Amino acid sequence: MKAASRVALVGNPNTGKSTLFNALAGMHVRTGNYAGVTIEKKIGRCDLGSSTADDAIASDHDACVVDLVDLPGTYSLAPRSPDELVAVEVLTGDVESEPPIDVIVCVVNATVLQRNLFLVSQVLELGKPTIVALNMIDTAEARGLAIDVDQLSKNLGVPVVCTSASRRTGIDALKSAIRAELDRIERDRVDGEPVKTIERDRPLPSEFYEVCNELRGELITRACTNDSLASRTPWESVLPDQYLIERMLLDRGGEAERRAVRRLGAAVLPAISASREKLATLVGDPVDMECSARYSWAAQSLKQVVSTKLAKPRNATDWLDAILTHRVAGLVCFFATMFLIFQCIYSFSSYPMDAIEFCTGAVSDLVASIVPPGMLQSLLVDGVIAGVGGVLIFLPQIALLFFFLALLEDCGYMSRAAFLVDRVMTLFGLSGKSFLPMMSSFACAVPGVMATRVIENRRDRFATIMVAPLMSCSARLPVYLLLIGAFIPSASYVGGLLSTQALVLMAMYLVGVGVAIPVAWLLKRTLLRGEVAPFVLELPEYKVPSARVILARVWEASKAFVVRAGTMIFAASIVIWFAGFWPGDHTRQFEIEREIERLETLQASAAPVSTAQAEQSEASAVTEPGMDEISATLETLRAEHRVLSATLLENSVLGRVGHVIEPVVKPLGWDWRIGVGAVASFPAREVIIATLGTIYSLGGEVDEEDDSLMAALRASKWPDGSPVFTVPVALSVMVFFALCAQCVSTLLVIKRETNSWFWPVLSFSYMTVLAYIGAFVTYQVGVRFF
């Protein structure tokens, strides 16, 4: 069977490229990462329909379905990082694991055509069959712009198709154009092979291309004289593509230059430097030369193409930007918008989360009623169902966050928000686009990490991912509430407007923010150090968001989380369950559970179910003393079950780890029970509440407002009779939880987003060290005051 042809979509951000991709591919989309890098690979299938060529050709060319490849939005094809280099290599066909691209569709914004032609000029230099999709043509016409499409096609030398992706117009014409290009490729084959490159007019000065050819000859000479390279078959495979040789000269210290050094050795650097010096002598600074030449080419290409029918009025975008990008009013609107979003996420997500929790509980009860108490029931209920529930519980927050992100991006506000906060974020090494992911991490770090996808710059994105878990998420709140309620005195100031408990709670939220600033600064100057990427941002026109586009993005984000991150979170939950279960003889525990279940069933069958029955029950209660005995027996069994569960947990792998680490956590003021709570809460911070309930023989159903748990914590003693929990210990535990990466979901999502285990391991390591130091300092300082 013949492989499907591949069509790549490239374009500037905010050109509607992804919307066009979805319009072409429908729901037949799969996402992933290119091997070894974080750049996202989104591939969809598109049915091009019937052929536009003659029947003879159509019969030979049977590929009416093509693979669409959606590359990330970019303003140029100048790779500054390994990720960006992969995008260029996909277009040049230089990725060994990827089939070559047959046709490139370059999506441009019709309202800002001249600026977008900068990228078009670079795409055309690749020498691939290319189609220009003139997207947002309806908006351009509404603004009085008239574009002579035929003349533009003639000037560029490639087909030009008008589209409006959000309105699904021009899609069939674009499919026909792609099909026609594929048919033309079939006709132009030489000896059965397609023409590798197409000669087109080159926008840069001829001297530049002459120097590039000389450099290529120099690289060939060096490769032939290098024994290790010359022995490779074919040895030409070590040479960069012609386009990348051009980028080696234009981008000083860029990824194209670094890759040449990796492949050919550092000996090529003198040749590159010599070529740059010669180029500077001939045409001046290469960067200035490229910008000037490409924009001149763009202006020349638009001659007799664009005309304005109407005098440009002050449109809605101008009016809105006067307010929304204002230095003061814009910030007020921005913070109001952010507050509204997070309030909605916090409020609205609670309903589906409660529903998921209810369903998880119902399924657990159902399984428990079918499977008798034992290891299998524990595995299914405490491992499998709890693991699945632990994955799905995040889904409402993620779906809502991506709904609002898609809404802001599709209406055009996201770029304004990044522009407004960029100055503040730049102070500690991040860009304005880092703000929203960090803010969303206050609700949950999982969607916060996923929201960093809006940041194009790899270093900024990774730095944001590394500090996002430091924001105090909602999972930390139960820990704060329990310990503040139990140990922080309730004193009021300023007429009752301020209280010590509220101040401590606010301080816990500020700890993460205060630590994130120096961490981000440090990362940008060490591991993520590099050339500062220019903050190039195009402010698109405001428009009415497309419901189809928004729902498609929410669906993709939700599916990606459940299918990929969810499977890893589920597996980790099973491992943690096993560590808390094994080793240990649970026979008596299961016997008690079976007896509790039998007595509860007996008690339930005797309970009144209606008012009339209640009245009858009151009359018969005196004659049924057995009910009291059942209740008393149940209390006795539950107490024994709690003690037994605590003992089994203490003797499990988790419990033994707690005893092993006690010398390590003792400087923090902790005993082994707090250590076990910290270890057991690795999957999710809120687990410590149930763990403490089990350790203190109160059962795992306690919550942060449980008076018996607070009383048990206050009554906990060291062997010498001194209390374990004091104000310094409570503060130490809270600071540890504020800074530690105790959330396997977040770590696994970091792995998913960075496509590497290095970053989640680094995140866990540095946050654990920070948490330990923070808790140690808090306790040691605290004991001197309390």
Side-chain angles (χ1 to χ4, degrees):
M1 181 178 176
K2 184 176 180 179
S5 301
R6 286 167 67 88
V7 178
L9 267 67
V10 297
N12 288 13
N14 300 313
T15 56
K17 178 176 63 66
S18 295
T19 308
L20 188 60
F21 173 82
N22 290 330
L24 289 167
M27 302 302 290
H28 309 293
V29 179
R30 63 182 189 278
T31 57
N33 284 73
Y34 287 100
V37 295
T38 61
I39 189 169
E40 188 173 75
K41 178 168 63 174
K42 189 188 289 185
I43 297 178
R45 282 263 162 140
C46 175
D47 185 353
L48 299 180
S50 59
S51 174
T52 57
D54 55 70
D55 293 338
I57 294 172
S59 61
D60 291 337
H61 183 65
D62 57 358
C64 59
V65 176
V66 298
D67 282 338
L68 285 176
V69 181
D70 186 22
L71 293 173
T74 180
Y75 292 103
S76 76
L77 294 183
R80 299 187 192 86
S81 70
D83 284 10
E84 293 169 337
L85 178 64
V86 169
V88 174
E89 288 180 333
V90 169
L91 293 175
T92 57
D94 206 18
V95 180
E96 293 182 0
S97 58
E98 295 288 326
I101 297 296
D102 297 293
V103 176
I104 299 173
V105 175
C106 192
V107 185
V108 301
N109 183 343
T111 63
V112 286
L113 189 51
Q114 185 164 348
R115 286 208 298 268
N116 281 202
L117 286 187
F118 186 97
L119 177 64
V120 173
S121 71
Q122 293 179 324
V123 171
L124 294 180
E125 282 195 328
L126 297 176
K128 291 275 186 180
T130 301
I131 298 168
V132 172
L134 203 56
N135 200 31
M136 302 170 68
I137 189 67
D138 53 334
T139 305
E141 290 171 349
R143 297 182 64 177
L145 294 175
I147 300 175
D148 187 336
V149 177
D150 293 334
Q151 185 62 44
L152 179 61
S153 176
K154 182 179 177 182
N155 291 353
L156 297 179
V158 298
V160 178
V161 180
C162 294
T163 61
S164 174
S166 60
R167 297 190 177 186
R168 295 296 194 271
T169 58
I171 305 301
D172 291 338
L174 181 57
K175 287 182 179 179
S176 298
I178 295 172
R179 182 69 189 238
E181 279 299 297
L182 292 173
D183 290 341
R184 188 186 58 75
I185 292 171
E186 287 297 313
R187 287 195 300 269
D188 295 345
R189 282 181 181 272
V190 177
D191 298 331
E193 294 295 326
V195 178
K196 290 189 177 179
T197 57
I198 301 172
E199 290 295 331
R200 295 193 177 99
D201 293 338
R202 295 179 169 184
L204 303 186
S206 58
E207 294 91 340
F208 169 74
Y209 298 106
E210 291 171 3
V211 174
C212 285
N213 289 334
E214 291 174 5
L215 176 59
R216 181 175 178 79
E218 180 70 18
L219 295 179
I220 292 174
T221 302
R222 288 177 181 275
C224 291
T225 55
N226 187 320
D227 293 339
S228 62
L229 296 176
S231 61
R232 292 183 57 170
T233 305
W235 62 266
E236 293 91 340
S237 62
V238 300
L239 289 178
D241 179 87
Q242 180 66 26
Y243 181 79
L244 291 177
I245 291 179
E246 296 174 8
R247 297 315 315 176
M248 285 163 53
L249 283 180
L250 293 170
D251 306 327
R252 187 183 297 275
E255 190 55 30
E257 178 184 315
R258 288 194 286 271
R259 198 186 81 154
V261 172
R262 287 196 297 272
R263 286 193 174 187
L264 303 173
V268 300
L269 287 175
I272 297 174
S273 297
S275 297
R276 282 204 188 108
E277 290 175 6
K278 184 175 183 179
L279 184 63
T281 305
L282 293 173
V283 298
D285 182 78
V287 176
D288 294 342
M289 176 272 297
E290 183 185 19
C291 289
S292 175
R294 293 197 189 282
Y295 280 120
S296 297
W297 174 87
Q300 187 68 26
S301 300
L302 291 179
K303 272 189 175 179
Q304 301 177 342
V305 170
V306 180
S307 60
T308 305
K309 294 178 182 175
L310 305 170
K312 183 181 177 182
R314 188 175 170 82
N315 59 22
T317 293
D318 297 330
W319 286 105
L320 286 171
D321 274 345
I323 300 171
L324 296 180
T325 60
H326 188 270
R327 186 168 295 183
V328 178
L331 284 174
V332 172
C333 294
F334 170 75
F335 284 109
T337 304
M338 292 301 108
F339 174 78
L340 186 63
I341 288 175
F342 292 112
Q343 185 63 35
C344 289
I345 292 175
Y346 190 76
S347 302
F348 296 154
S349 66
S350 63
Y351 299 107
M353 289 174 80
D354 289 344
I356 291 172
E357 196 170 3
F358 173 80
C359 292
T360 304
V363 174
S364 294
D365 293 341
L366 178 63
V367 172
S369 66
I370 298 172
V371 181
M375 184 175 178
L376 179 60
Q377 187 198 78
S378 181
L379 171 63
L380 293 175
V381 174
D382 302 327
V384 177
I385 298 175
V388 172
V391 172
L392 296 180
I393 199 73
F394 291 113
L395 193 55
Q397 285 188 338
I398 289 173
L400 271 175
L401 176 67
F402 275 90
F403 170 79
F404 287 114
L405 284 178
L407 190 67
L408 294 180
E409 190 166 359
D410 206 44
C411 74
Y413 182 72
M414 186 67 84
S415 301
R416 274 82 180 175
F419 167 75
L420 282 169
V421 297
D422 181 66
R423 285 186 180 180
V424 178
M425 302 298 286
T426 302
L427 293 178
F428 47 98
L430 300 176
S431 74
K433 292 192 174 182
S434 301
F435 182 80
L436 195 60
M438 291 177 68
M439 282 294 289
S440 68
S441 296
F442 279 106
C444 177
V446 172
V449 170
M450 294 178 70
T452 58
R453 293 177 184 178
V454 299
I455 306 171
E456 294 91 358
N457 183 273
R458 175 180 175 272
R459 286 185 291 274
D460 284 358
R461 187 155 69 89
F462 277 29
T464 307
I465 287 174
M466 286 294 102
V467 299
L470 286 169
M471 305 298 111
S472 274
C473 64
S474 57
R476 290 170 167 116
L477 190 58
V479 184
Y480 298 157
L481 293 179
L482 171 69
L483 296 176
I484 289 174
F487 298 103
I488 303 301
S490 178
S492 298
Y493 307 96
V494 197
L497 294 177
L498 293 177
S499 72
T500 51
Q501 293 184 329
L503 288 173
V504 171
L505 182 61
M506 185 178 73
M508 288 302 112
Y509 276 84
L510 292 179
V511 164
V513 177
V515 172
I517 293 173
V519 169
W521 183 87
L522 194 62
L523 284 170
K524 291 301 296 288
R525 280 155 183 78
T526 53
L527 285 176
L528 299 173
R529 180 179 55 195
E531 183 185 354
V532 178
F535 186 62
V536 180
L537 189 67
E538 186 173 324
L539 300 182
E541 294 280 319
Y542 289 106
K543 63 186 180 75
V544 177
S546 164
R548 186 198 298 262
V549 172
I550 292 171
L551 292 177
R553 290 180 185 173
V554 172
W555 168 256
E556 288 171 12
S558 303
K559 188 173 71 172
F561 170 72
V562 172
V563 173
R564 282 179 282 171
T567 52
M568 291 189 286
I569 295 170
F570 170 72
S573 300
I574 298 292
V575 172
I576 295 296
W577 165 83
F578 185 75
F581 184 87
W582 184 84
D585 184 0
H586 295 258
T587 306
R588 177 58 185 160
Q589 184 188 31
F590 298 146
E591 288 175 357
I592 295 174
E593 289 175 0
R594 282 192 288 271
E595 184 61 14
I596 290 176
E597 187 176 297
R598 187 185 70 80
L599 292 176
E600 285 179 340
T601 304
L602 187 63
Q603 194 178 46
S605 63
V609 296
S610 66
T611 304
Q613 287 174 318
E615 292 173 353
Q616 185 180 358
S617 176
E618 286 179 7
S620 62
V622 180
T623 62
E624 296 182 6
M627 289 298 292
D628 293 335
E629 293 177 8
I630 291 174
S631 299
T633 305
L634 273 173
E635 282 304 311
T636 303
L637 289 173
R638 285 169 181 157
E640 185 184 353
H641 186 268
R642 289 195 291 266
V643 173
L644 191 57
S645 297
T647 304
L648 287 168
L649 180 60
E650 182 179 355
N651 293 322
S652 69
V653 172
L654 270 182
R656 294 178 186 184
V657 170
H659 281 289
V660 169
I661 67 173
E662 188 174 40
V664 178
V665 299
K666 206 166 185 178
L668 312 182
W670 302 6
D671 68 350
W672 74 268
R673 287 169 290 193
I674 305 177
V676 166
V679 173
S681 55
F682 171 71
R685 297 175 181 88
E686 58 270 41
V687 173
I688 192 175
I689 305 296
T691 305
L692 290 175
T694 301
I695 292 174
Y696 285 96
S697 304
L698 298 171
E701 295 79 20
V702 295
D703 59 29
E704 66 273 16
E705 297 177 349
D706 194 296
D707 292 335
S708 61
L709 179 58
M710 291 187 187
L713 297 182
R714 292 191 189 102
S716 179
K717 305 289 185 186
W718 287 98
D720 63 1
S722 60
V724 172
F725 280 93
T726 59
V727 171
V729 171
L731 291 173
S732 168
V733 174
M734 285 191 286
V735 168
F736 185 88
F737 273 74
L739 299 179
C740 192
Q742 289 173 297
C743 183
V744 69
S745 312
T746 301
L747 295 174
L748 293 176
V749 169
I750 290 175
K751 191 273 171 185
R752 153 79 183 89
E753 294 299 308
T754 59
N755 201 31
S756 165
W757 282 107
F758 172 78
W759 297 103
V761 170
L762 174 67
S763 178
F764 179 78
S765 302
Y766 97 79
M767 288 183 69
T768 302
V769 172
L770 271 180
Y772 187 88
I773 294 174
F776 176 80
V777 172
T778 302
Y779 175 73
Q780 296 298 333
V781 173
V783 293
R784 286 159 177 74
F785 291 93
F786 298 99

